[in-house]
Amino acid sequence: MKFRTRETSHVDVDLTSMIDVVFLLLIFFMVTTTFNHNSALKIALPTASKNPATQNLQNKIELLIDSQGRYYVNGREVLNTQPETLFQAMTEVLNSMQGTPALVISADANVNYQAVVTAMDIAGRLGLTNFSMATTQAERQK
């Protein structure tokens, strides 16, 4: 008995379309991804209401910034406006407190924006994530 030998066909898998799709997905994700790293400071901004709720914060740090950009930590003036000096002053106050205190930043309306950003950056470096910006309620014009 004589068997016929079957011719084996060579199977080709065309990967061209799959590679095209993978490259398109790669390009899509590269274009839609943001590569700049933004600061991850979480700020709890206060709301201004007619009758503001008074908070009894025993464990808090008050950081005041005057119109010239000078810093005051709990009423004591920081020697200069350098960020490292503010860092040292806030570290000393933090070491004298128990737990993680809340930070209240009170800045003059005419202060340079960079002074406020520097203060928030220092607070973030120290691990102070619970801080707010003090404001006053605007009077209604009649």
Side-chain angles (χ1 to χ4, degrees):
M1 188 182 264
K2 185 174 182 184
F3 292 107
R4 253 196 276 169
T5 60
R6 288 190 177 176
E7 291 182 22
T8 58
S9 62
H10 186 30
V11 178
D12 285 332
V13 178
D14 190 17
L15 298 176
T16 306
S17 58
M18 185 180 74
I19 292 172
D20 289 343
V21 170
V22 169
F23 279 128
L24 285 174
L25 286 173
L26 179 68
I27 291 170
F28 172 77
F29 286 118
M30 285 175 56
V31 169
T32 59
T33 303
T34 323
F35 289 106
N36 47 345
H37 178 70
N38 295 330
S39 183
L41 293 176
K42 295 180 182 175
I43 302 170
L45 293 176
T47 57
S49 63
K50 198 168 193 176
N51 297 319
T54 57
Q55 296 179 345
N56 187 10
L57 295 174
Q58 298 295 333
N59 197 19
K60 71 176 179 178
I61 298 174
E62 292 181 353
L63 176 62
L64 286 89
I65 308 170
D66 67 5
S67 59
Q68 283 79 34
R70 292 182 301 235
Y71 298 105
Y72 299 84
V73 179
N74 284 348
R76 294 180 57 202
E77 184 176 0
V78 178
L79 295 176
N80 56 37
T81 59
Q82 298 298 319
E84 291 307 314
T85 309
L86 178 61
F87 183 83
Q88 291 296 331
M90 289 182 67
T91 303
E92 289 176 14
V93 172
L94 271 174
N95 290 337
S96 67
M97 299 181 121
Q98 296 176 354
T100 305
L103 176 67
V104 178
I105 299 176
S106 301
D108 189 271
N110 298 319
V111 73
N112 187 355
Y113 185 64
Q114 181 61 49
V116 178
V117 171
T118 301
M120 290 190 300
D121 183 46
I122 299 286
R125 286 174 36 195
L126 289 171
L128 297 172
T129 56
N130 181 20
F131 62 94
S132 61
M133 304 291 288
T135 61
T136 58
Q137 181 179 359
E139 293 183 24
R140 287 185 128 171
Q141 294 181 354
K142 294 180 182 181

